[in-house]
mmCIF file of all heavy atoms in Angstrom:
data_model
loop_
_atom_site.group_PDB
_atom_site.id
_atom_site.type_symbol
_atom_site.label_atom_id
_atom_site.label_comp_id
_atom_site.label_asym_id
_atom_site.label_seq_id
_atom_site.Cartn_x
_atom_site.Cartn_y
_atom_site.Cartn_z
ATOM 1 N N GLU A 1 18.574 40.316 69.409
ATOM 2 C CA GLU A 1 17.987 39.089 68.855
ATOM 3 C C GLU A 1 16.710 38.719 69.604
ATOM 4 O O GLU A 1 15.699 38.326 69.001
ATOM 5 C CB GLU A 1 19.012 37.951 68.954
ATOM 6 C CG GLU A 1 18.536 36.634 68.381
ATOM 7 C CD GLU A 1 18.436 36.642 66.864
ATOM 8 O OE1 GLU A 1 18.854 37.641 66.225
ATOM 9 O OE2 GLU A 1 17.933 35.655 66.310
ATOM 10 N N TRP A 2 16.736 38.854 70.927
ATOM 11 C CA TRP A 2 15.531 38.564 71.718
ATOM 12 C C TRP A 2 14.403 39.531 71.349
ATOM 13 O O TRP A 2 13.246 39.130 71.240
ATOM 14 C CB TRP A 2 15.849 38.675 73.202
ATOM 15 C CG TRP A 2 14.606 38.681 74.048
ATOM 16 C CD1 TRP A 2 13.794 37.625 74.334
ATOM 17 C CD2 TRP A 2 14.009 39.827 74.670
ATOM 18 N NE1 TRP A 2 12.729 38.031 75.114
ATOM 19 C CE2 TRP A 2 12.840 39.380 75.338
ATOM 20 C CE3 TRP A 2 14.351 41.166 74.741
ATOM 21 C CZ2 TRP A 2 12.028 40.231 76.058
ATOM 22 C CZ3 TRP A 2 13.544 42.029 75.462
ATOM 23 C CH2 TRP A 2 12.386 41.563 76.099
ATOM 24 N N VAL A 3 14.727 40.820 71.148
ATOM 25 C CA VAL A 3 13.704 41.810 70.776
ATOM 26 C C VAL A 3 13.047 41.406 69.469
ATOM 27 O O VAL A 3 11.819 41.458 69.328
ATOM 28 C CB VAL A 3 14.332 43.210 70.677
ATOM 29 C CG1 VAL A 3 13.334 44.200 70.037
ATOM 30 C CG2 VAL A 3 14.737 43.717 72.054
ATOM 31 N N ARG A 4 13.880 40.991 68.493
ATOM 32 C CA ARG A 4 13.303 40.572 67.204
ATOM 33 C C ARG A 4 12.412 39.340 67.348
ATOM 34 O O ARG A 4 11.315 39.276 66.786
ATOM 35 C CB ARG A 4 14.440 40.319 66.199
ATOM 36 C CG ARG A 4 15.090 41.585 65.676
ATOM 37 C CD ARG A 4 16.036 41.283 64.547
ATOM 38 N NE ARG A 4 17.221 40.612 65.003
ATOM 39 C CZ ARG A 4 18.365 41.227 65.337
ATOM 40 N NH1 ARG A 4 18.431 42.530 65.275
ATOM 41 N NH2 ARG A 4 19.410 40.529 65.740
ATOM 42 N N LEU A 5 12.888 38.339 68.108
ATOM 43 C CA LEU A 5 12.097 37.118 68.300
ATOM 44 C C LEU A 5 10.814 37.415 69.087
ATOM 45 O O LEU A 5 9.765 36.809 68.828
ATOM 46 C CB LEU A 5 12.928 36.062 69.030
ATOM 47 C CG LEU A 5 14.022 35.390 68.192
ATOM 48 C CD1 LEU A 5 14.903 34.518 69.068
ATOM 49 C CD2 LEU A 5 13.405 34.552 67.076
ATOM 50 N N GLN A 6 10.882 38.326 70.033
ATOM 51 C CA GLN A 6 9.700 38.674 70.804
ATOM 52 C C GLN A 6 8.641 39.345 69.936
ATOM 53 O O GLN A 6 7.442 39.113 70.105
ATOM 54 C CB GLN A 6 10.092 39.596 71.974
ATOM 55 C CG GLN A 6 8.965 39.868 72.949
ATOM 56 C CD GLN A 6 8.463 38.599 73.612
ATOM 57 O OE1 GLN A 6 9.247 37.789 74.111
ATOM 58 N NE2 GLN A 6 7.149 38.395 73.594
ATOM 59 N N ARG A 7 9.109 40.177 69.013
ATOM 60 C CA ARG A 7 8.165 40.809 68.078
ATOM 61 C C ARG A 7 7.488 39.765 67.212
ATOM 62 O O ARG A 7 6.279 39.845 66.922
ATOM 63 C CB ARG A 7 8.889 41.830 67.210
ATOM 64 C CG ARG A 7 9.294 43.095 67.963
ATOM 65 C CD ARG A 7 10.178 43.968 67.101
ATOM 66 N NE ARG A 7 10.577 45.183 67.807
ATOM 67 C CZ ARG A 7 11.522 46.009 67.370
ATOM 68 N NH1 ARG A 7 12.162 45.736 66.226
ATOM 69 N NH2 ARG A 7 11.843 47.080 68.059
ATOM 70 N N VAL A 8 8.278 38.777 66.771
ATOM 71 C CA VAL A 8 7.700 37.683 65.976
ATOM 72 C C VAL A 8 6.681 36.910 66.810
ATOM 73 O O VAL A 8 5.577 36.573 66.340
ATOM 74 C CB VAL A 8 8.823 36.753 65.464
ATOM 75 C CG1 VAL A 8 8.220 35.505 64.800
ATOM 76 C CG2 VAL A 8 9.721 37.486 64.478
ATOM 77 N N ALA A 9 7.019 36.643 68.079
ATOM 78 C CA ALA A 9 6.102 35.888 68.931
ATOM 79 C C ALA A 9 4.834 36.683 69.220
ATOM 80 O O ALA A 9 3.733 36.114 69.292
ATOM 81 C CB ALA A 9 6.806 35.530 70.239
ATOM 82 N N ASP A 10 4.974 38.005 69.375
ATOM 83 C CA ASP A 10 3.798 38.837 69.675
ATOM 84 C C ASP A 10 2.776 38.826 68.547
ATOM 85 O O ASP A 10 1.567 38.994 68.806
ATOM 86 C CB ASP A 10 4.251 40.276 69.952
ATOM 87 C CG ASP A 10 4.994 40.406 71.269
ATOM 88 O OD1 ASP A 10 4.887 39.491 72.102
ATOM 89 O OD2 ASP A 10 5.723 41.418 71.441
ATOM 90 N N GLN A 11 3.272 38.662 67.334
ATOM 91 C CA GLN A 11 2.318 38.658 66.213
ATOM 92 C C GLN A 11 1.914 37.251 65.801
ATOM 93 O O GLN A 11 1.143 37.075 64.861
ATOM 94 C CB GLN A 11 2.950 39.384 65.014
ATOM 95 C CG GLN A 11 4.137 38.671 64.412
ATOM 96 C CD GLN A 11 4.856 39.516 63.351
ATOM 97 O OE1 GLN A 11 4.714 40.731 63.337
ATOM 98 N NE2 GLN A 11 5.580 38.864 62.486
ATOM 99 N N ALA A 12 2.403 36.247 66.532
ATOM 100 C CA ALA A 12 2.062 34.859 66.183
ATOM 101 C C ALA A 12 0.570 34.592 66.345
ATOM 102 O O ALA A 12 -0.023 33.806 65.596
ATOM 103 C CB ALA A 12 2.883 33.887 67.028
ATOM 104 N N GLY A 13 -0.052 35.224 67.358
ATOM 105 C CA GLY A 13 -1.481 35.004 67.583
ATOM 106 C C GLY A 13 -2.325 35.423 66.397
ATOM 107 O O GLY A 13 -3.299 34.740 66.023
ATOM 108 N N ASP A 14 -1.970 36.524 65.768
ATOM 109 C CA ASP A 14 -2.727 36.973 64.595
ATOM 110 C C ASP A 14 -2.650 35.952 63.471
ATOM 111 O O ASP A 14 -3.640 35.675 62.786
ATOM 112 C CB ASP A 14 -2.180 38.328 64.107
ATOM 113 C CG ASP A 14 -2.385 39.417 65.149
ATOM 114 O OD1 ASP A 14 -3.320 39.306 65.958
ATOM 115 O OD2 ASP A 14 -1.574 40.384 65.146
ATOM 116 N N PHE A 15 -1.452 35.378 63.291
ATOM 117 C CA PHE A 15 -1.300 34.399 62.215
ATOM 118 C C PHE A 15 -1.936 33.063 62.582
ATOM 119 O O PHE A 15 -2.385 32.316 61.699
ATOM 120 C CB PHE A 15 0.191 34.203 61.900
ATOM 121 C CG PHE A 15 0.795 35.377 61.188
ATOM 122 C CD1 PHE A 15 1.394 36.410 61.892
ATOM 123 C CD2 PHE A 15 0.754 35.465 59.803
ATOM 124 C CE1 PHE A 15 1.929 37.499 61.242
ATOM 125 C CE2 PHE A 15 1.285 36.557 59.137
ATOM 126 C CZ PHE A 15 1.882 37.578 59.867
ATOM 127 N N ALA A 16 -2.004 32.766 63.914
ATOM 128 C CA ALA A 16 -2.700 31.538 64.335
ATOM 129 C C ALA A 16 -4.181 31.648 64.021
ATOM 130 O O ALA A 16 -4.829 30.677 63.551
ATOM 131 C CB ALA A 16 -2.467 31.310 65.822
ATOM 132 N N ASP A 17 -4.782 32.838 64.275
ATOM 133 C CA ASP A 17 -6.184 33.031 63.934
ATOM 134 C C ASP A 17 -6.405 32.921 62.430
ATOM 135 O O ASP A 17 -7.397 32.347 61.965
ATOM 136 C CB ASP A 17 -6.650 34.405 64.420
ATOM 137 C CG ASP A 17 -6.656 34.517 65.930
ATOM 138 O OD1 ASP A 17 -6.676 33.465 66.595
ATOM 139 O OD2 ASP A 17 -6.600 35.668 66.441
ATOM 140 N N LEU A 18 -5.464 33.486 61.679
ATOM 141 C CA LEU A 18 -5.578 33.405 60.225
ATOM 142 C C LEU A 18 -5.503 31.960 59.745
ATOM 143 O O LEU A 18 -6.269 31.533 58.861
ATOM 144 C CB LEU A 18 -4.463 34.240 59.588
ATOM 145 C CG LEU A 18 -4.460 34.305 58.053
ATOM 146 C CD1 LEU A 18 -5.725 34.987 57.548
ATOM 147 C CD2 LEU A 18 -3.209 35.057 57.561
ATOM 148 N N ALA A 19 -4.599 31.176 60.341
ATOM 149 C CA ALA A 19 -4.468 29.771 59.948
ATOM 150 C C ALA A 19 -5.708 28.962 60.349
ATOM 151 O O ALA A 19 -6.139 28.053 59.630
ATOM 152 C CB ALA A 19 -3.221 29.161 60.590
ATOM 153 N N ALA A 20 -6.306 29.295 61.509
ATOM 154 C CA ALA A 20 -7.477 28.559 61.975
ATOM 155 C C ALA A 20 -8.693 28.813 61.082
ATOM 156 O O ALA A 20 -9.589 27.950 60.982
ATOM 157 C CB ALA A 20 -7.794 28.939 63.417
ATOM 158 N N ARG A 21 -8.757 29.981 60.446
ATOM 159 C CA ARG A 21 -9.887 30.289 59.572
ATOM 160 C C ARG A 21 -9.747 29.703 58.175
ATOM 161 O O ARG A 21 -10.632 29.855 57.332
ATOM 162 C CB ARG A 21 -10.055 31.815 59.468
ATOM 163 C CG ARG A 21 -10.480 32.467 60.769
ATOM 164 C CD ARG A 21 -11.070 33.866 60.517
ATOM 165 N NE ARG A 21 -10.147 34.725 59.769
ATOM 166 C CZ ARG A 21 -9.266 35.534 60.347
ATOM 167 N NH1 ARG A 21 -9.151 35.555 61.671
ATOM 168 N NH2 ARG A 21 -8.492 36.312 59.608
ATOM 169 N N ALA A 22 -8.608 29.049 57.947
ATOM 170 C CA ALA A 22 -8.404 28.447 56.623
ATOM 171 C C ALA A 22 -9.400 27.301 56.427
ATOM 172 O O ALA A 22 -9.789 26.620 57.384
ATOM 173 C CB ALA A 22 -6.984 27.959 56.494
ATOM 174 N N PRO A 23 -9.858 27.056 55.170
ATOM 175 C CA PRO A 23 -10.811 25.952 54.906
ATOM 176 C C PRO A 23 -10.262 24.609 55.371
ATOM 177 O O PRO A 23 -11.021 23.770 55.856
ATOM 178 C CB PRO A 23 -10.986 25.997 53.383
ATOM 179 C CG PRO A 23 -10.632 27.412 53.018
ATOM 180 C CD PRO A 23 -9.577 27.835 53.963
ATOM 181 N N SER A 24 -8.970 24.390 55.240
ATOM 182 C CA SER A 24 -8.372 23.136 55.679
ATOM 183 C C SER A 24 -7.159 23.440 56.540
ATOM 184 O O SER A 24 -6.036 23.559 56.049
ATOM 185 C CB SER A 24 -7.967 22.274 54.471
ATOM 186 O OG SER A 24 -7.115 23.023 53.602
ATOM 187 N N PRO A 25 -7.362 23.632 57.858
ATOM 188 C CA PRO A 25 -6.251 24.004 58.744
ATOM 189 C C PRO A 25 -5.133 22.959 58.727
ATOM 190 O O PRO A 25 -5.401 21.747 58.656
ATOM 191 C CB PRO A 25 -6.918 24.089 60.124
ATOM 192 C CG PRO A 25 -8.369 24.306 59.827
ATOM 193 C CD PRO A 25 -8.645 23.549 58.564
ATOM 194 N N ASP A 26 -3.910 23.424 58.790
ATOM 195 C CA ASP A 26 -2.726 22.558 58.785
ATOM 196 C C ASP A 26 -2.185 22.500 60.205
ATOM 197 O O ASP A 26 -1.775 23.521 60.777
ATOM 198 C CB ASP A 26 -1.682 23.113 57.813
ATOM 199 C CG ASP A 26 -0.470 22.186 57.694
ATOM 200 O OD1 ASP A 26 -0.459 21.141 58.358
ATOM 201 O OD2 ASP A 26 0.461 22.544 56.944
ATOM 202 N N ALA A 27 -2.176 21.307 60.778
ATOM 203 C CA ALA A 27 -1.674 21.138 62.152
ATOM 204 C C ALA A 27 -0.200 21.503 62.256
ATOM 205 O O ALA A 27 0.258 22.014 63.283
ATOM 206 C CB ALA A 27 -1.894 19.711 62.623
ATOM 207 N N GLY A 28 0.561 21.250 61.197
ATOM 208 C CA GLY A 28 1.986 21.585 61.222
ATOM 209 C C GLY A 28 2.221 23.076 61.339
ATOM 210 O O GLY A 28 3.161 23.526 62.017
#
C-alpha cells in the first residue's frame, strides 16, 4: 500500500504543474 501511495505522490508534481497552467487554477 505504501509503494502504491508513494508512486501516486511521486507523480503529484507533474499534475500540480498541469493544474497551475490551467486558465483558472483551482486552490482545492
Side-chain angles (χ1 to χ4, degrees):
E1 181 72 7
W2 168 74
V3 169
R4 286 189 289 267
L5 287 172
Q6 188 61 49
R7 288 172 180 168
V8 172
D10 290 343
Q11 66 189 21
D14 296 333
F15 288 91
D17 293 340
L18 182 63
R21 293 199 305 269
S24 54
D26 184 0

